Structures are given as structure tokens and as C-alpha cells.
Amino acid sequence: MAQFFNKSANNIARISILAGVVLVATAGFSFTQLARSSYLTGRYMEKQQPVQFSHKHHVGDDGIDCRYCHSTVETTASAGMPPTQTCMNCHSQIWADSPYLEPVKASFRENKPILWERVHDLPEYTYFNHSIHVAKGVGCSTCHGQIDDMPAVYQENTLQMEWCLACHRAPEEFIRPKSEIYNMKWKNSDLDSKERLELKASLKIRSKEMMTSCSTCHR
Amino acid sequence: MLKNSLPGVVRIDDKGKSMNRAICLAFLFVTSVLLSACGIRSDMQDQPRYKAYKKSDFFSDGRSSRDFVAGTVPRGQLKENKAFYTGKIDNPDVNAQPVTTTDASGNTLVTSFPNAIDEFPVPVTKELIDRGQDRYNIYCIVCHGPVGNGDGMIVRRGFSKPPTYHDERLRNAPVGHFFDVISNGWGKMNSYAYVVQPADRWAIVAYIRALQVSQNPDEVLKANSKAEPGSVPPKSGETTHGGKP
């Protein structure tokens, strides 16, 4: 009987073992990359909103403070979405006839909320509270990016656990003085490392063990 | 010869089995990776409970955040301190109407202030004024401008120009009037009661007084030589600069 395998089968066997290993490794690597991709995290994805509201104009050009609209950011878990009255404080006169404002005026007339599309959607097994973050020196732009330069708001960061933990492990690398929380022009380089540690102490930020304990965020 | 080669045949079968198993495992692995990547199950991410601003399919207006039932008084918020919560005297004369005039830009200006209290119902401290500055620079600065001239960014964009704080009329207006305007609005200005709580409104009024002193220190101090409680020393750094573009 002739040989069932010819000589090249040896090489094929070796190469297929190698290919198998490479395949598994590639699959694993692709998984980690896919899980961090904006396709799954929603990062950098602009959303169509019912009103063509531009943060770039209202924050960047007009210099309106974040809290004029997001008024509960210092006191509650949610930063707060403005009631339609907040829009009408100015738009009762400014651009009052613009068709772009029709959804706002309709909401005001009919007393129905504007159905904004949520941009930052944390999973509901995480406990997140805006007020403690702004009270402990985390600025708006640290997590939300340059909102004053976003015509349509997108998610600047992955919002994944590794991203949260990067700051919870070493908050001193990200915090700023409380007077600069709402300053969109703040740069991380505005403080040196010594000042950061002093700031961390003066803000009474808890230990790394406490900050990275499971129940700090999952409760 | 054939018999001797049988072990080899068996080996070939073994190899085929393990190959099948490897293919099966690889298939399972890839499938599970794809499934988990797709996030087929999201029960934990989206739990059946309401968080702030979540849409409700139950209530007809779609809001999960509900208003209080009419007449509800939260514990400790009976608002018995009339001066603190309304800026008005205890038994206001409901028939007393404020005297008003109209200025060149169509603003209705009030020139008499019946029922408004003229003393702060809270102690005026530096902390109060600092808090007022903080709140003023969020909610008031957009129209009234950094020093209260009425040249805020929204006015520059075309909104009606509010009157300046720095004329005789508003320098002499009682503090209760400013509180009332923040609480109930005036003219083109909407009420800000929904974002500025009463304690913060008094802080803002205190800061407006500080601004008035800063712009016209001589007049205010002369007029207040009898030590009016609302008067505060000018704060350093609060001068006219920064008001104009």
C-alpha cells in the first residue's frame, strides 16, 4: 500500500499547530479590541437629537456656565437636564421664529418633555454620582472632553471599568482645584505633581483601597 | 504487513478525532466571543427600574419623574418664615400696587416697593456673598453682565437689555424686591425659582449689593452712613473691568 500521507504532511501538521495558536491569540486579541471599540462603547459617536442644540455655540461662543442648564450637578447623582423653560429664558426672544426651535416651542406649548437621546449611558449595575465627583476635584472636561468644542455631543471616553479605575487608583493625576471644575480650558499640566498630592490631601480623597473597593461603585 | 500497519491506522483515527474536537472548541470559542461581543443579554445593563429622566411607558406623559401631589408639604418645608421665603413683610397689603414707569428700551421699571422687606432675613457674611458671586456668575451673568450693567452675552445677542443695578432707583430698592424678581420674574425675565433655592437667592441679593458698592462706593457709603444691613464693603477685584467685550 502506498503511503497514506506524503512527506509534506509533516510540515502541514506543524504549520497547522502554529496556525491554531495564532488563530486563538488573534481571536483573543480581537475580542479585547472589539470590546474597546467605539462600535461597542459608543465612544466618539454623535447622536441625532430632536433639537439641533450646539454645546459649541452655547458654551464655547456664549460662555454660559454648565450649571445654568445642568443645575443639579452639585447636589444629586444626575447632573440634571434643563426643563424647557430654561431654553425659553433666552429663546422667548432670541431666534424665537427659527424653525430649528420648533420642537422646543412645541414642548413648551404642550407641556411635554423633549425626548433627548442619551449620550452617556452607564450600565445600571454601576452606582454613579455626579455631585461627589465635582466636589472632589473632577472637572467636567476630565470625563466629558471639550464640550465647548462639540456641535453635537459625543462620548469622549469608553466609560468602561478600566477607565473608571484608572482614576480611582490614582486620582491625583486627574483632579483640579474646585474653582476650576467648570473651566473648559483647564489643562492637566496646570498643576505639578507636588501640587496634585497636596490637592488630593486637601480634598480629603479616600485611600486607593477604599476608592477601588467593589462596593464603591457596585452596590 | 497489513496487521502491522494497523496501529498506524488507529493513530490516524485518533488524530481525526482530536482534530474534530479542536475544531469544535474553536467554533465554540469564536461563537461565545461573538455572542458576548454582541451583548445579547443586557438585563443587567438596563434594569427594570427608573433612574432620573428615564422614559416611562406607564404614565401618559412619558415622564418617570412625577410631580408632588398638589398641596404636599415636605417635612421641614412649611415655609413659615415669610420674609425668608417671599422677601415680603409679614402682613402685605394686597391692594398696594407698585408704581411703575417705562424706560426707553421698553422695560417696566418699578419705582415704589410696597411690602418688600428691606433687611436681609439671613446674616450677611463673606461666605454668603461668595456663594452669591458663584450663583450670580451662573444664572444672572448671562443677561445682567459681570458687574450688573445689563450687558451680558445674551443681551449682546439680542435679548432685551435689563436695567443696570447701578442707578439711584435700584441702589435704593429694598432687598426684598431683588428676591421677589428672582423668585417670580419681572418683565422679560422668567422666574429662576426652579433653579435657585431661597437661601441662594438671598446670597445673590447680597452679591448684587456688593456689586452696587463696587461701582459707586462713594454714593452708596454716603447714603448708608446710618449702616444699612444690606451694605457691605466693596470686594477687591470687583471693579468695572471685565464688563465690556
Side-chain angles (χ1 to χ4, degrees):
Chain A
M1 191 190 163
Q3 285 288 338
F4 196 82
F5 290 109
N6 63 23
K7 227 176 170 186
S8 63
N10 287 336
N11 280 337
I12 292 175
R14 284 189 198 106
I15 291 168
S16 57
I17 290 171
L18 191 67
V21 171
V22 169
L23 184 76
V24 170
T26 311
F29 180 73
S30 311
F31 174 69
T32 61
Q33 294 308 299
L34 191 64
R36 291 178 175 90
S37 72
S38 63
Y39 177 71
L40 287 179
T41 63
R43 195 182 188 186
Y44 303 137
M45 311 256 266
E46 291 178 353
K47 287 207 170 164
Q48 286 295 314
Q49 300 288 356
V51 184
Q52 292 189 31
F53 177 87
S54 166
H55 276 82
K56 182 181 166 68
H57 175 66
H58 289 82
V59 184
D61 302 346
D62 292 345
I64 298 173
D65 193 283
C66 309
R67 292 164 289 179
Y68 188 86
C69 300
H70 304 292
S71 55
T72 58
V73 70
E74 292 165 309
T75 47
T76 65
S78 163
M81 286 295 284
T84 308
Q85 188 196 329
T86 301
C87 310
M88 298 308 279
N89 283 348
C90 301
H91 289 294
S92 59
Q93 287 189 18
I94 295 179
W95 288 88
D97 298 327
S98 167
Y100 292 109
L101 278 170
E102 186 46 38
V104 178
K105 287 186 286 181
S107 158
F108 196 64
R109 265 198 314 271
E110 294 155 23
N111 197 24
K112 283 198 176 141
I114 300 171
L115 300 179
W116 299 101
E117 287 293 323
R118 181 174 272 282
V119 176
H120 297 83
D121 193 10
L122 279 182
E124 290 181 7
Y125 46 78
T126 51
Y127 172 94
F128 176 81
N129 192 312
H130 272 95
S131 64
I132 188 64
H133 287 85
V134 298
K136 297 289 181 181
V138 182
C140 303
S141 60
T142 302
C143 302
H144 293 292
Q146 293 305 124
I147 292 284
D148 61 334
D149 204 24
M150 293 185 193
V153 166
Y154 53 83
Q155 185 184 312
E156 173 79 10
N157 288 295
T158 62
L159 304 190
Q160 284 176 325
M161 187 167 150
E162 62 179 4
W163 172 76
C164 300
L165 282 176
C167 185
H168 274 227
R169 287 194 181 109
E172 64 276 6
E173 289 174 25
F174 300 93
I175 51 175
R176 57 178 89 177
K178 283 183 76 175
S179 58
E180 306 298 328
I181 299 291
Y182 305 95
N183 178 2
M184 280 290 145
K185 301 291 174 222
W186 169 264
K187 293 278 171 292
N188 247 2
S189 54
D190 290 358
L191 284 186
D192 64 33
S193 54
K194 185 166 166 283
E195 289 170 321
R196 293 183 169 282
L197 286 173
E198 286 168 5
L199 181 61
K200 184 187 175 191
S202 73
L203 287 169
K204 298 191 175 68
I205 294 178
R206 301 227 196 170
S207 68
K208 182 181 160 189
E209 288 68 31
M210 188 63 120
M211 295 271 291
T212 54
S213 153
C214 304
S215 59
T216 299
C217 309
H218 304 290
R219 35 174 110 170
Chain B
M1 182 82 178
L2 196 64
K3 272 199 170 210
N4 286 348
S5 69
L6 270 178
V9 174
V10 171
R11 217 167 46 236
I12 290 163
D13 279 349
D14 265 358
K15 193 176 180 185
K17 262 186 196 165
S18 65
M19 283 284 277
N20 280 341
R21 189 179 296 156
I23 289 169
C24 269
L25 281 175
F27 177 77
L28 277 177
F29 179 76
V30 169
T31 312
S32 63
V33 164
L34 285 177
L35 280 180
S36 57
C38 294
I40 293 291
R41 297 290 298 263
S42 57
D43 312 23
M44 291 279 282
Q45 277 90 338
D46 300 307
Q47 297 169 12
R49 64 188 166 92
Y50 290 135
K51 291 178 83 173
Y53 304 107
K54 210 169 182 180
K55 190 175 185 296
S56 166
D57 295 326
F58 181 77
F59 297 104
S60 59
D61 61 2
R63 295 187 301 140
S64 60
S65 311
R66 307 309 302 167
D67 294 331
F68 287 125
V69 175
T72 308
V73 178
R75 184 176 284 270
Q77 291 187 31
L78 195 52
K79 303 187 176 176
E80 284 171 304
N81 186 345
K82 245 191 128 82
F84 181 81
Y85 283 105
T86 65
K88 292 193 164 55
I89 54 174
D90 244 352
N91 293 304
D93 177 1
V94 286
N95 295 318
Q97 291 300 317
V99 181
T100 58
T101 58
T102 308
D103 75 354
S105 44
N107 289 319
T108 308
L109 305 180
V110 62
T111 51
S112 77
F113 307 91
N115 301 332
I117 57 167
D118 200 16
E119 287 197 5
F120 279 92
V122 288
V124 178
T125 59
K126 179 162 189 310
E127 286 71 38
L128 186 79
I129 296 170
D130 286 345
R131 173 74 180 169
Q133 180 180 31
D134 187 51
R135 299 292 107 177
Y136 180 93
N137 287 341
I138 300 169
Y139 299 111
C140 316
I141 197 171
V142 289
C143 288
H144 290 280
V147 292
N149 291 330
D151 65 343
M153 183 55 91
I154 304 306
V155 173
R156 289 181 224 167
R157 297 265 188 247
F159 201 86
S160 304
K161 185 172 164 46
T164 172
Y165 296 139
H166 309 300
D167 63 2
E168 192 71 29
R169 182 181 68 90
L170 283 182
R171 269 206 304 275
N172 295 325
V175 290
H177 171 65
F178 296 97
F179 184 91
D180 182 53
V181 170
I182 302 173
S183 307
N184 301 312
W186 184 269
K188 302 289 190 296
M189 175 181 160
N190 280 340
S191 160
Y192 275 71
Y194 74 106
V195 277
V196 185
Q197 299 307 308
D200 285 343
R201 285 174 228 165
W202 287 116
I204 289 174
V205 177
Y207 182 63
I208 291 173
R209 283 285 191 242
L211 285 177
Q212 288 175 332
V213 178
S214 77
Q215 298 304 295
N216 295 285
D218 298 338
E219 283 90 331
V220 176
L221 294 178
K222 216 180 292 170
N224 289 321
S225 49
K226 61 181 174 83
E228 185 200 312
S231 83
V232 284
K235 289 156 60 73
S236 58
E238 276 306 330
T239 50
T240 47
H241 67 256
K244 298 287 177 198

